[in-house]
Amino acid sequence: MNAPHPAKVAGIDSTVPSPAHTVASAAPGASPVTGAAAPSAAVGPDAPGALLQDRLAGWVSDLTTLHELTERLVRTDTLSEALDEVLRAGAALVGARRGLVVLEPADGLGPDTTVGLGLGRADLGHLETVPRGCLPHGRILDGLPVGEDGVAEPDLLADKSLDPRHREVAARLGYAASYALPLSVEGTAASSAGTGPSITGTAASAGGAGVPAGSSGVPAAGPRRLGAAVWFYNEPAEPGARPRHLAGLYTRYAAQHLARLLEVERTRTAMATMAGELLPSRLPRVSGVQLAARHRTGPLGGGDWYDALPLPDAALGLAVGSVTGSGPSAVAAMGRLRASLRAYAVMEGEDPVAVLSDLELLLRLTEPARSATALFGYCEPALRRITLAGAGHSPPLLVGERRTEFVETSVSAPLGMLACWEAPSVELQAEPGETVLLYTDGLLHRTGDPADRAFARLHAAAAGVPRAARHDPDAVAEHVLRTVLPGGKADADSAEDVVLLAVRFA
C-alpha cells in the first residue's frame, strides 16, 4: 500500500521577483513572516548582523513585489480589468496557475460576477454544481468564519471529509489543492449604511493586522464583504507563511480598489438606467418610414436625447437635442426639456420654428443658467418630406443610392443663448429608400478629431454603408456608429453622450 502523498509547499511564482535572501535561508528555524530565529540559530560572531541584513533584504524584496503588483492594479479602471489583475497577481504570489474570483457584495446591490483564470465557461459551470457551502470561497461568501490567513485545502483527493461532488469536480478539472482569501474592506458605520467604503479607515501593519486610523471617533462597523478569490494547484500543495502573508496584504489593498470601482460601476449603471428611462422605450411604427436609434451615455450621465412621436394627420415628430452639463442635474433637465418638447410638438408640430421658440422661452424662464441645442423635424411620411428647424445643432445627413449629403439648415444660436430665438425652417425632400441621420455633437466629439475631420469621417462612414444594408435603418445606424467610432470608442467611457437616429423612407 502506497504511503500518502505529502503536500508540497507552494511558493511565490517566478513571474514575480522573489527575495534574494529570505529569513528561512538565514536561520532554518526562523519564521518566514516575523523573522524570529530559533535559539540555536546564532552561530559565529557575525550571526546577529548577518541575520538582520538577511531579514531586511527579504522585507525590501517583499515590499518591492507588492509595490509592483499594486502599481499594476491601480492602472485598471474597470471592474473586469481589476478582477483579472487580482487573479493574476494572487496566482503569482501563492504559486498557482488557475483560480477564480467571485464578486458578490454583501449589501445585495450587485453587480454579481465570476471571473476565471485558466478556467473556461464550462469549468466554471462544473464548479457551480458543487454545493456552495462545500467550496472554500463559498464558505467565505456565506459569511462563515474563516481564518485570518485564508482557507487552505492542501489535498482535496485525500481529504475524505470533503463533499464527494467537490472531489469529483476537482478530479474532472485537474486540480488537487486550493487556497482561498476573502475580499473585504474595513468601513465605518456610515459607510456600511451605503455611503461607500472607508478608504482610510484602517492601515495594515507590518504583520497585516487592521489598525484604526484617523481620530474621527466614528466606531468601526467591521469588514464589508465584496467577494472571495480562490486559486487552484494541479498537485497537493499549500502556500507557506510568507506567501500567505503577502497575498493577504495584497488582497486587502485590492479590496479597497475594487470597492472604489464598484461604486463607480453602480453610479454608471444608475445613471444609464435613469437616462434610458427618460428616452423612448420603443420607437413608434408609422406607415411609410422605418426608425432605428443608438444611444450611448457616459459614466456620469449626460443630457443628450432623441424622440420620435406620432402626430395628427399621420405625421411624425422627430427630435434630437443636448443639454449642457453632465450628471444627475443634466439628466433631469434633459427629461424636462424632452417632455416639454413633446407637448409643444403635439400642439403645433407642423411649425417646427414655433416648437423651438416655445422651448427656448421655457428654458430661459425656468433654467436661466443652462443652454441646449435641439433639432426638431415635422415628418410627413406619405410625402417623404421633413420640415426642419435647428437651434445650434449639427445638420442632418441624407444617405441614398445616388447621394450622401448634409442638409443645409439655417445657422442659429443654441436655446437659452439669446433673448429671443427664431430661425427659418428648411424642407428636406427624400427619395424612396433614402435614410436621414439625425445625431448629436457627441458623435463627432468622441472621435477626438477637429470638427471638419469629424464631419468628413461621418460623411465617409455614411457613404460607405454596404448596399445590402441600406434597406435596414438599424444596420445603417450600426455601421455608421462603428465606423465613425472604431476600436470600441462607441462603448468606452466618455464625457460625451452619443445619439444617432436613423429615419428610412419606404
mmCIF file with all atom_site columns, all heavy atoms in Angstrom, residues 170-189:
data_model
loop_
_atom_site.group_PDB
_atom_site.id
_atom_site.type_symbol
_atom_site.label_atom_id
_atom_site.label_alt_id
_atom_site.label_comp_id
_atom_site.label_asym_id
_atom_site.label_entity_id
_atom_site.label_seq_id
_atom_site.pdbx_PDB_ins_code
_atom_site.Cartn_x
_atom_site.Cartn_y
_atom_site.Cartn_z
_atom_site.occupancy
_atom_site.B_iso_or_equiv
_atom_site.pdbx_formal_charge
_atom_site.auth_seq_id
_atom_site.auth_comp_id
_atom_site.auth_asym_id
_atom_site.auth_atom_id
_atom_site.pdbx_PDB_model_num
ATOM 1   N N   . ALA A 1 170 ? -13.175 18.394 -8.771  1.00 0.00 ? 170 ALA A N   1
ATOM 2   C CA  . ALA A 1 170 ? -11.740 18.671 -8.720  1.00 0.00 ? 170 ALA A CA  1
ATOM 3   C C   . ALA A 1 170 ? -10.972 17.704 -9.611  1.00 0.00 ? 170 ALA A C   1
ATOM 4   O O   . ALA A 1 170 ? -10.048 18.097 -10.334 1.00 0.00 ? 170 ALA A O   1
ATOM 5   C CB  . ALA A 1 170 ? -11.249 18.592 -7.279  1.00 0.00 ? 170 ALA A CB  1
ATOM 6   N N   . ALA A 1 171 ? -11.346 16.435 -9.569  1.00 0.00 ? 171 ALA A N   1
ATOM 7   C CA  . ALA A 1 171 ? -10.675 15.442 -10.416 1.00 0.00 ? 171 ALA A CA  1
ATOM 8   C C   . ALA A 1 171 ? -10.946 15.718 -11.891 1.00 0.00 ? 171 ALA A C   1
ATOM 9   O O   . ALA A 1 171 ? -10.057 15.579 -12.737 1.00 0.00 ? 171 ALA A O   1
ATOM 10  C CB  . ALA A 1 171 ? -11.148 14.037 -10.038 1.00 0.00 ? 171 ALA A CB  1
ATOM 11  N N   . ARG A 1 172 ? -12.168 16.141 -12.226 1.00 0.00 ? 172 ARG A N   1
ATOM 12  C CA  . ARG A 1 172 ? -12.506 16.419 -13.620 1.00 0.00 ? 172 ARG A CA  1
ATOM 13  C C   . ARG A 1 172 ? -11.748 17.629 -14.142 1.00 0.00 ? 172 ARG A C   1
ATOM 14  O O   . ARG A 1 172 ? -11.274 17.634 -15.290 1.00 0.00 ? 172 ARG A O   1
ATOM 15  C CB  . ARG A 1 172 ? -14.005 16.651 -13.746 1.00 0.00 ? 172 ARG A CB  1
ATOM 16  C CG  . ARG A 1 172 ? -14.445 17.070 -15.144 1.00 0.00 ? 172 ARG A CG  1
ATOM 17  C CD  . ARG A 1 172 ? -15.951 17.208 -15.260 1.00 0.00 ? 172 ARG A CD  1
ATOM 18  N NE  . ARG A 1 172 ? -16.620 15.929 -15.066 1.00 0.00 ? 172 ARG A NE  1
ATOM 19  C CZ  . ARG A 1 172 ? -17.938 15.764 -15.174 1.00 0.00 ? 172 ARG A CZ  1
ATOM 20  N NH1 . ARG A 1 172 ? -18.721 16.793 -15.466 1.00 0.00 ? 172 ARG A NH1 1
ATOM 21  N NH2 . ARG A 1 172 ? -18.477 14.579 -14.991 1.00 0.00 ? 172 ARG A NH2 1
ATOM 22  N N   . LEU A 1 173 ? -11.604 18.667 -13.306 1.00 0.00 ? 173 LEU A N   1
ATOM 23  C CA  . LEU A 1 173 ? -10.910 19.878 -13.744 1.00 0.00 ? 173 LEU A CA  1
ATOM 24  C C   . LEU A 1 173 ? -9.402  19.780 -13.571 1.00 0.00 ? 173 LEU A C   1
ATOM 25  O O   . LEU A 1 173 ? -8.674  20.654 -14.044 1.00 0.00 ? 173 LEU A O   1
ATOM 26  C CB  . LEU A 1 173 ? -11.439 21.094 -12.975 1.00 0.00 ? 173 LEU A CB  1
ATOM 27  C CG  . LEU A 1 173 ? -12.930 21.401 -13.142 1.00 0.00 ? 173 LEU A CG  1
ATOM 28  C CD1 . LEU A 1 173 ? -13.288 22.695 -12.433 1.00 0.00 ? 173 LEU A CD1 1
ATOM 29  C CD2 . LEU A 1 173 ? -13.315 21.481 -14.604 1.00 0.00 ? 173 LEU A CD2 1
ATOM 30  N N   . GLY A 1 174 ? -8.927  18.746 -12.862 1.00 0.00 ? 174 GLY A N   1
ATOM 31  C CA  . GLY A 1 174 ? -7.496  18.527 -12.758 1.00 0.00 ? 174 GLY A CA  1
ATOM 32  C C   . GLY A 1 174 ? -6.793  19.357 -11.715 1.00 0.00 ? 174 GLY A C   1
ATOM 33  O O   . GLY A 1 174 ? -5.617  19.707 -11.888 1.00 0.00 ? 174 GLY A O   1
ATOM 34  N N   . TYR A 1 175 ? -7.462  19.697 -10.616 1.00 0.00 ? 175 TYR A N   1
ATOM 35  C CA  . TYR A 1 175 ? -6.750  20.384 -9.545  1.00 0.00 ? 175 TYR A CA  1
ATOM 36  C C   . TYR A 1 175 ? -6.866  19.548 -8.277  1.00 0.00 ? 175 TYR A C   1
ATOM 37  O O   . TYR A 1 175 ? -7.845  18.847 -8.050  1.00 0.00 ? 175 TYR A O   1
ATOM 38  C CB  . TYR A 1 175 ? -7.260  21.813 -9.344  1.00 0.00 ? 175 TYR A CB  1
ATOM 39  C CG  . TYR A 1 175 ? -8.656  21.946 -8.772  1.00 0.00 ? 175 TYR A CG  1
ATOM 40  C CD1 . TYR A 1 175 ? -8.880  21.966 -7.402  1.00 0.00 ? 175 TYR A CD1 1
ATOM 41  C CD2 . TYR A 1 175 ? -9.760  22.096 -9.616  1.00 0.00 ? 175 TYR A CD2 1
ATOM 42  C CE1 . TYR A 1 175 ? -10.158 22.109 -6.875  1.00 0.00 ? 175 TYR A CE1 1
ATOM 43  C CE2 . TYR A 1 175 ? -11.038 22.247 -9.107  1.00 0.00 ? 175 TYR A CE2 1
ATOM 44  C CZ  . TYR A 1 175 ? -11.230 22.261 -7.733  1.00 0.00 ? 175 TYR A CZ  1
ATOM 45  O OH  . TYR A 1 175 ? -12.487 22.400 -7.222  1.00 0.00 ? 175 TYR A OH  1
ATOM 46  N N   . ALA A 1 176 ? -5.808  19.635 -7.443  1.00 0.00 ? 176 ALA A N   1
ATOM 47  C CA  . ALA A 1 176 ? -5.729  18.781 -6.259  1.00 0.00 ? 176 ALA A CA  1
ATOM 48  C C   . ALA A 1 176 ? -5.661  19.563 -4.957  1.00 0.00 ? 176 ALA A C   1
ATOM 49  O O   . ALA A 1 176 ? -5.688  18.954 -3.881  1.00 0.00 ? 176 ALA A O   1
ATOM 50  C CB  . ALA A 1 176 ? -4.493  17.882 -6.363  1.00 0.00 ? 176 ALA A CB  1
ATOM 51  N N   . ALA A 1 177 ? -5.557  20.889 -5.019  1.00 0.00 ? 177 ALA A N   1
ATOM 52  C CA  . ALA A 1 177 ? -5.490  21.706 -3.811  1.00 0.00 ? 177 ALA A CA  1
ATOM 53  C C   . ALA A 1 177 ? -5.996  23.103 -4.143  1.00 0.00 ? 177 ALA A C   1
ATOM 54  O O   . ALA A 1 177 ? -6.047  23.501 -5.314  1.00 0.00 ? 177 ALA A O   1
ATOM 55  C CB  . ALA A 1 177 ? -4.060  21.765 -3.275  1.00 0.00 ? 177 ALA A CB  1
ATOM 56  N N   . SER A 1 178 ? -6.362  23.835 -3.110  1.00 0.00 ? 178 SER A N   1
ATOM 57  C CA  . SER A 1 178 ? -6.871  25.188 -3.329  1.00 0.00 ? 178 SER A CA  1
ATOM 58  C C   . SER A 1 178 ? -6.508  26.060 -2.143  1.00 0.00 ? 178 SER A C   1
ATOM 59  O O   . SER A 1 178 ? -6.231  25.575 -1.038  1.00 0.00 ? 178 SER A O   1
ATOM 60  C CB  . SER A 1 178 ? -8.384  25.175 -3.540  1.00 0.00 ? 178 SER A CB  1
ATOM 61  O OG  . SER A 1 178 ? -9.052  24.773 -2.350  1.00 0.00 ? 178 SER A OG  1
ATOM 62  N N   . TYR A 1 179 ? -6.532  27.353 -2.393  1.00 0.00 ? 179 TYR A N   1
ATOM 63  C CA  . TYR A 1 179 ? -6.290  28.340 -1.340  1.00 0.00 ? 179 TYR A CA  1
ATOM 64  C C   . TYR A 1 179 ? -7.183  29.543 -1.621  1.00 0.00 ? 179 TYR A C   1
ATOM 65  O O   . TYR A 1 179 ? -7.163  30.101 -2.720  1.00 0.00 ? 179 TYR A O   1
ATOM 66  C CB  . TYR A 1 179 ? -4.822  28.770 -1.319  1.00 0.00 ? 179 TYR A CB  1
ATOM 67  C CG  . TYR A 1 179 ? -4.527  29.815 -0.270  1.00 0.00 ? 179 TYR A CG  1
ATOM 68  C CD1 . TYR A 1 179 ? -4.684  29.535 1.085   1.00 0.00 ? 179 TYR A CD1 1
ATOM 69  C CD2 . TYR A 1 179 ? -4.101  31.092 -0.630  1.00 0.00 ? 179 TYR A CD2 1
ATOM 70  C CE1 . TYR A 1 179 ? -4.427  30.486 2.054   1.00 0.00 ? 179 TYR A CE1 1
ATOM 71  C CE2 . TYR A 1 179 ? -3.831  32.051 0.326   1.00 0.00 ? 179 TYR A CE2 1
ATOM 72  C CZ  . TYR A 1 179 ? -4.010  31.749 1.670   1.00 0.00 ? 179 TYR A CZ  1
ATOM 73  O OH  . TYR A 1 179 ? -3.749  32.692 2.624   1.00 0.00 ? 179 TYR A OH  1
ATOM 74  N N   . ALA A 1 180 ? -8.005  29.933 -0.645  1.00 0.00 ? 180 ALA A N   1
ATOM 75  C CA  . ALA A 1 180 ? -9.000  30.991 -0.828  1.00 0.00 ? 180 ALA A CA  1
ATOM 76  C C   . ALA A 1 180 ? -8.779  32.116 0.162   1.00 0.00 ? 180 ALA A C   1
ATOM 77  O O   . ALA A 1 180 ? -8.346  31.895 1.301   1.00 0.00 ? 180 ALA A O   1
ATOM 78  C CB  . ALA A 1 180 ? -10.414 30.436 -0.668  1.00 0.00 ? 180 ALA A CB  1
ATOM 79  N N   . LEU A 1 181 ? -9.080  33.345 -0.284  1.00 0.00 ? 181 LEU A N   1
ATOM 80  C CA  . LEU A 1 181 ? -8.982  34.527 0.556   1.00 0.00 ? 181 LEU A CA  1
ATOM 81  C C   . LEU A 1 181 ? -10.239 35.380 0.392   1.00 0.00 ? 181 LEU A C   1
ATOM 82  O O   . LEU A 1 181 ? -10.784 35.473 -0.717  1.00 0.00 ? 181 LEU A O   1
ATOM 83  C CB  . LEU A 1 181 ? -7.759  35.370 0.189   1.00 0.00 ? 181 LEU A CB  1
ATOM 84  C CG  . LEU A 1 181 ? -6.399  34.907 0.698   1.00 0.00 ? 181 LEU A CG  1
ATOM 85  C CD1 . LEU A 1 181 ? -5.293  35.724 0.052   1.00 0.00 ? 181 LEU A CD1 1
ATOM 86  C CD2 . LEU A 1 181 ? -6.330  35.034 2.215   1.00 0.00 ? 181 LEU A CD2 1
ATOM 87  N N   . PRO A 1 182 ? -10.693 36.015 1.461   1.00 0.00 ? 182 PRO A N   1
ATOM 88  C CA  . PRO A 1 182 ? -11.835 36.927 1.321   1.00 0.00 ? 182 PRO A CA  1
ATOM 89  C C   . PRO A 1 182 ? -11.404 38.258 0.722   1.00 0.00 ? 182 PRO A C   1
ATOM 90  O O   . PRO A 1 182 ? -10.247 38.679 0.855   1.00 0.00 ? 182 PRO A O   1
ATOM 91  C CB  . PRO A 1 182 ? -12.323 37.108 2.760   1.00 0.00 ? 182 PRO A CB  1
ATOM 92  C CG  . PRO A 1 182 ? -11.096 36.891 3.593   1.00 0.00 ? 182 PRO A CG  1
ATOM 93  C CD  . PRO A 1 182 ? -10.259 35.870 2.861   1.00 0.00 ? 182 PRO A CD  1
ATOM 94  N N   . LEU A 1 183 ? -12.332 38.924 0.055   1.00 0.00 ? 183 LEU A N   1
ATOM 95  C CA  . LEU A 1 183 ? -12.141 40.287 -0.429  1.00 0.00 ? 183 LEU A CA  1
ATOM 96  C C   . LEU A 1 183 ? -13.112 41.160 0.346   1.00 0.00 ? 183 LEU A C   1
ATOM 97  O O   . LEU A 1 183 ? -14.315 41.152 0.090   1.00 0.00 ? 183 LEU A O   1
ATOM 98  C CB  . LEU A 1 183 ? -12.418 40.374 -1.938  1.00 0.00 ? 183 LEU A CB  1
ATOM 99  C CG  . LEU A 1 183 ? -11.484 39.583 -2.841  1.00 0.00 ? 183 LEU A CG  1
ATOM 100 C CD1 . LEU A 1 183 ? -11.974 39.618 -4.272  1.00 0.00 ? 183 LEU A CD1 1
ATOM 101 C CD2 . LEU A 1 183 ? -10.063 40.124 -2.753  1.00 0.00 ? 183 LEU A CD2 1
ATOM 102 N N   . SER A 1 184 ? -12.598 41.891 1.309   1.00 0.00 ? 184 SER A N   1
ATOM 103 C CA  . SER A 1 184 ? -13.454 42.719 2.149   1.00 0.00 ? 184 SER A CA  1
ATOM 104 C C   . SER A 1 184 ? -12.734 43.995 2.501   1.00 0.00 ? 184 SER A C   1
ATOM 105 O O   . SER A 1 184 ? -11.502 44.079 2.447   1.00 0.00 ? 184 SER A O   1
ATOM 106 C CB  . SER A 1 184 ? -13.863 41.963 3.422   1.00 0.00 ? 184 SER A CB  1
ATOM 107 O OG  . SER A 1 184 ? -12.712 41.589 4.162   1.00 0.00 ? 184 SER A OG  1
ATOM 108 N N   . VAL A 1 185 ? -13.515 45.016 2.842   1.00 0.00 ? 185 VAL A N   1
ATOM 109 C CA  . VAL A 1 185 ? -12.956 46.307 3.207   1.00 0.00 ? 185 VAL A CA  1
ATOM 110 C C   . VAL A 1 185 ? -13.442 46.673 4.598   1.00 0.00 ? 185 VAL A C   1
ATOM 111 O O   . VAL A 1 185 ? -14.556 46.332 4.985   1.00 0.00 ? 185 VAL A O   1
ATOM 112 C CB  . VAL A 1 185 ? -13.356 47.415 2.207   1.00 0.00 ? 185 VAL A CB  1
ATOM 113 C CG1 . VAL A 1 185 ? -12.719 47.188 0.869   1.00 0.00 ? 185 VAL A CG1 1
ATOM 114 C CG2 . VAL A 1 185 ? -14.869 47.498 2.065   1.00 0.00 ? 185 VAL A CG2 1
ATOM 115 N N   . GLU A 1 186 ? -12.585 47.358 5.335   1.00 0.00 ? 186 GLU A N   1
ATOM 116 C CA  . GLU A 1 186 ? -12.975 47.873 6.636   1.00 0.00 ? 186 GLU A CA  1
ATOM 117 C C   . GLU A 1 186 ? -13.757 49.152 6.415   1.00 0.00 ? 186 GLU A C   1
ATOM 118 O O   . GLU A 1 186 ? -13.377 49.996 5.616   1.00 0.00 ? 186 GLU A O   1
ATOM 119 C CB  . GLU A 1 186 ? -11.747 48.148 7.502   1.00 0.00 ? 186 GLU A CB  1
ATOM 120 C CG  . GLU A 1 186 ? -10.972 46.907 7.878   1.00 0.00 ? 186 GLU A CG  1
ATOM 121 C CD  . GLU A 1 186 ? -11.732 46.009 8.835   1.00 0.00 ? 186 GLU A CD  1
ATOM 122 O OE1 . GLU A 1 186 ? -12.600 46.533 9.548   1.00 0.00 ? 186 GLU A OE1 1
ATOM 123 O OE2 . GLU A 1 186 ? -11.465 44.793 8.848   1.00 0.00 ? 186 GLU A OE2 1
ATOM 124 N N   . GLY A 1 187 ? -14.867 49.313 7.137   1.00 0.00 ? 187 GLY A N   1
ATOM 125 C CA  . GLY A 1 187 ? -15.674 50.505 6.968   1.00 0.00 ? 187 GLY A CA  1
ATOM 126 C C   . GLY A 1 187 ? -16.214 50.989 8.279   1.00 0.00 ? 187 GLY A C   1
ATOM 127 O O   . GLY A 1 187 ? -16.232 50.283 9.285   1.00 0.00 ? 187 GLY A O   1
ATOM 128 N N   . THR A 1 188 ? -16.649 52.256 8.277   1.00 0.00 ? 188 THR A N   1
ATOM 129 C CA  . THR A 1 188 ? -17.300 52.818 9.446   1.00 0.00 ? 188 THR A CA  1
ATOM 130 C C   . THR A 1 188 ? -18.769 52.501 9.397   1.00 0.00 ? 188 THR A C   1
ATOM 131 O O   . THR A 1 188 ? -19.286 51.982 8.409   1.00 0.00 ? 188 THR A O   1
ATOM 132 C CB  . THR A 1 188 ? -17.109 54.339 9.485   1.00 0.00 ? 188 THR A CB  1
ATOM 133 O OG1 . THR A 1 188 ? -17.741 54.892 8.329   1.00 0.00 ? 188 THR A OG1 1
ATOM 134 C CG2 . THR A 1 188 ? -15.642 54.707 9.475   1.00 0.00 ? 188 THR A CG2 1
ATOM 135 N N   . ALA A 1 189 ? -19.481 52.842 10.433  1.00 0.00 ? 189 ALA A N   1
ATOM 136 C CA  . ALA A 1 189 ? -20.914 52.609 10.460  1.00 0.00 ? 189 ALA A CA  1
ATOM 137 C C   . ALA A 1 189 ? -21.599 53.347 9.350   1.00 0.00 ? 189 ALA A C   1
ATOM 138 O O   . ALA A 1 189 ? -22.565 52.888 8.749   1.00 0.00 ? 189 ALA A O   1
ATOM 139 C CB  . ALA A 1 189 ? -21.482 53.036 11.821  1.00 0.00 ? 189 ALA A CB  1
#
